[in-house]
Amino acid sequence: MSAHEVPKALMVEGFRVRRGVGPGGMSKTATITAVMVLTADGLIATQVPASLLVTVPATLLVVVAAVARRHGMSALAYYWAKMSWRRAARVEATSYRRLLLPHPYALDLPGVGASSTLIKAHDPTTGKPLGVVHDRATGHMTITTLLAPGGSLMAPTGAVQSSLRTWSSVLEAMSTDEQVKGASVTIQITPGAGEALGDDVKARQDPAAPELAKRVVAELVRTTPHATASVAPWMSVTVDPNASVNPPTDLAEQVAEAIKVVDGLDLSGTGTDIERRATDIDLRRLVRSAYDPAVFNARDAEFEDLSWSECGPQAADDGWEEYAHDGGVSVSWVLREMPRRPIAYSVLLPLLAPGRFQRRITLAYRVLDPHEGEAVLEREISHAYNRAQATAEVKGRATWSQRADSRRAEQAAAQVAGGAQVVDWTLMITVTARSAADLPAARQELERAVKATRGIRMRPAFGAQAAVFAAGLPLGYNPLVKD
């Protein structure tokens, strides 16, 4: 086996995009709506026949736009989003300026983080403080766990298989817990180690060390930030503390219930090294440094007195394909399609390689409960069969791609029957450049990293740059979590 080959036991498959039953992958609702509109056109034509010259072409144009694809989505959805963004831009709804106003919550974070607030809590298990992000709109609470950067590329095959099985058990525990609404795992790579490295070395340095050794270490501290990258991985779990038999009566009990639920998720054996629960200072650092990467390696004392609203940007502009904020300009991409072939478990490694710019890779997911997962797969099998049957009636046989899609849906159902979990998930990547002049280079670096995965297809988050940017932060926002 060569150095680039991966054992078959460590190949991953089973990725599939949900597809509608209608023509061109239209959903059932869209198909029924199109039929009803055409029927209404016919009824109107019985009274005013000339109306068909207008209604039928307009209806067909909308149907064709719904069927046609643009950047992996329907052309109708793409152009509708673009028109909505332009309308918002005209009224300056895509621009944010933090102002001091005499209104409650006037200084809150912008966009999807507006309803969040930070609570400093006490972890009774470890006796240490931790930060809890409370969504005032939904009542959900998000607790973040800091992970130690590491990997399993050098681990034996058996150890990696064991980690995958254990992780499957964690997903199963999430699927059967009604209080766990979703989770996300984020890895942030920031070039340079900054002042934090100097503080750490200074604390460890022996005053009685030889003078030559001190000079060598000082030189390494001075030059290292230009040659290394800081890796900060974390996992955020969103919990609904009120989805229990005996809902908590006040905020303190809700926080305690959320901590208890997250403590029940045992990550030991998954190949993940847990560092600790994120404190309120950790959360302020992660959020503030995302908007201003220059402060990522600042000392903890600089974040202690920051309010939650001050962790956000002073000013931000949400563009169609970029997001300008305090410390630079960011570009966010979202998952378009996964490969239909088996892929190596290390497929995301090119995205995690350090580069010139700060990069944040987020895997967000929502584990469906067993009954919902079975219903989804049964519906997908029916849709695949109906599409193949409709094509066979028109062309005489179903296409090979339709037959293969039916087999994949049946294979997924067989895996679920054997104990596998159905997971809604997505991949998001954000790259931040310090200036608009560096934006083309940052975008090119991101494109090369995505191409290096050899199969994963991604696209810019058109008109949703600010939301995807926030989804990679421990703000309590997960795009897959339903209210």
Side-chain angles (χ1 to χ4, degrees), residues 274-288:
I274 297 177
E275 186 173 329
R276 55 184 168 82
R277 299 280 187 230
T279 65
D280 57 316
I281 296 178
D282 294 326
L283 296 180
R284 291 190 187 99
R285 177 191 295 275
L286 293 175
V287 175
R288 182 60 198 150

Side-chain angles (χ1 to χ4, degrees), residues 300-318:
D300 288 347
E302 299 184 25
F303 298 97
E304 289 181 356
D305 297 329
L306 283 182
S307 65
W308 186 236
S309 61
E310 291 175 330
C311 296
Q314 298 286 337
D317 293 299
D318 189 8

Side-chain angles (χ1 to χ4, degrees), residues 303-369:
F303 298 97
E304 289 181 356
D305 297 329
L306 283 182
S307 65
W308 186 236
S309 61
E310 291 175 330
C311 296
Q314 298 286 337
D317 293 299
D318 189 8
W320 177 246
E321 292 190 41
E322 67 281 331
Y323 182 53
H325 46 84
D326 289 355
V329 185
S330 296
V331 176
S332 296
W333 283 22
V334 295
L335 180 65
R336 175 175 173 176
E337 185 180 7
M338 287 293 290
R340 300 180 183 180
R341 54 176 172 78
I343 58 176
Y345 76 103
S346 57
V347 66
L348 297 181
L349 190 60
L351 300 177
L352 304 177
R356 289 179 52 197
F357 306 97
Q358 185 186 74
R359 188 185 306 167
R360 192 163 51 253
I361 300 93
T362 301
L363 182 66
Y365 52 91
R366 181 178 70 92
V367 186
L368 279 60
D369 65 73

Side-chain angles (χ1 to χ4, degrees), residues 148-396:
S152 56
L153 294 178
M154 302 298 292
T157 301
V160 178
Q161 285 182 294
S162 177
S163 298
L164 293 176
R165 285 193 297 267
T166 306
W167 184 248
S168 177
S169 300
V170 174
L171 295 180
E172 183 178 1
M174 289 184 179
S175 69
T176 56
D177 193 334
E178 295 181 355
Q179 292 181 282
V180 178
K181 296 302 179 181
S184 63
V185 176
T186 300
I187 299 179
Q188 180 172 279
I189 302 100
T190 304
E195 298 174 351
L197 176 64
D199 292 345
D200 184 64
V201 171
K202 184 177 180 180
R204 295 166 179 258
Q205 194 173 37
D206 186 358
E211 193 62 30
L212 176 60
K214 292 181 179 180
R215 288 200 300 268
V216 171
V217 171
E219 180 67 15
L220 287 174
V221 170
R222 187 182 67 83
T223 59
T224 296
H226 304 285
T228 62
S230 175
V231 181
W234 65 83
M235 178 178 181
S236 298
V237 180
T238 301
V239 176
D240 184 3
N242 296 312
S244 60
V245 178
N246 298 314
T249 57
D250 55 24
L251 185 61
E253 291 185 3
Q254 292 176 5
V255 172
E257 183 70 17
I259 295 175
K260 183 178 69 174
V261 171
V262 175
D263 285 342
L265 299 176
D266 186 9
L267 298 181
S268 60
T270 61
T272 302
D273 295 328
I274 297 177
E275 186 173 329
R276 55 184 168 82
R277 299 280 187 230
T279 65
D280 57 316
I281 296 178
D282 294 326
L283 296 180
R284 291 190 187 99
R285 177 191 295 275
L286 293 175
V287 175
R288 182 60 198 150
S289 63
Y291 291 103
D292 187 3
V295 303
F296 177 79
N297 292 299
R299 297 174 175 87
D300 288 347
E302 299 184 25
F303 298 97
E304 289 181 356
D305 297 329
L306 283 182
S307 65
W308 186 236
S309 61
E310 291 175 330
C311 296
Q314 298 286 337
D317 293 299
D318 189 8
W320 177 246
E321 292 190 41
E322 67 281 331
Y323 182 53
H325 46 84
D326 289 355
V329 185
S330 296
V331 176
S332 296
W333 283 22
V334 295
L335 180 65
R336 175 175 173 176
E337 185 180 7
M338 287 293 290
R340 300 180 183 180
R341 54 176 172 78
I343 58 176
Y345 76 103
S346 57
V347 66
L348 297 181
L349 190 60
L351 300 177
L352 304 177
R356 289 179 52 197
F357 306 97
Q358 185 186 74
R359 188 185 306 167
R360 192 163 51 253
I361 300 93
T362 301
L363 182 66
Y365 52 91
R366 181 178 70 92
V367 186
L368 279 60
D369 65 73
H371 297 292
E372 183 183 1
E374 290 179 5
V376 167
L377 289 177
E378 287 296 331
R379 186 165 58 248
E380 289 297 303
I381 292 174
S382 298
H383 289 176
Y385 175 78
N386 292 333
R387 285 194 301 270
Q389 188 177 34
T391 303
E393 292 176 356
V394 175
K395 298 183 178 181

Side-chain angles (χ1 to χ4, degrees), residues 26-60:
M26 289 176 58
S27 65
K28 182 179 179 180
T29 303
T31 303
I32 294 176
T33 302
V35 172
M36 292 177 63
V37 171
L38 288 173
T39 303
D41 293 343
L43 293 175
I44 296 173
T46 58
Q47 303 296 326
V48 187
S51 65
L52 291 175
L53 298 176
V54 178
T55 57
V56 172
T59 302
L60 292 179

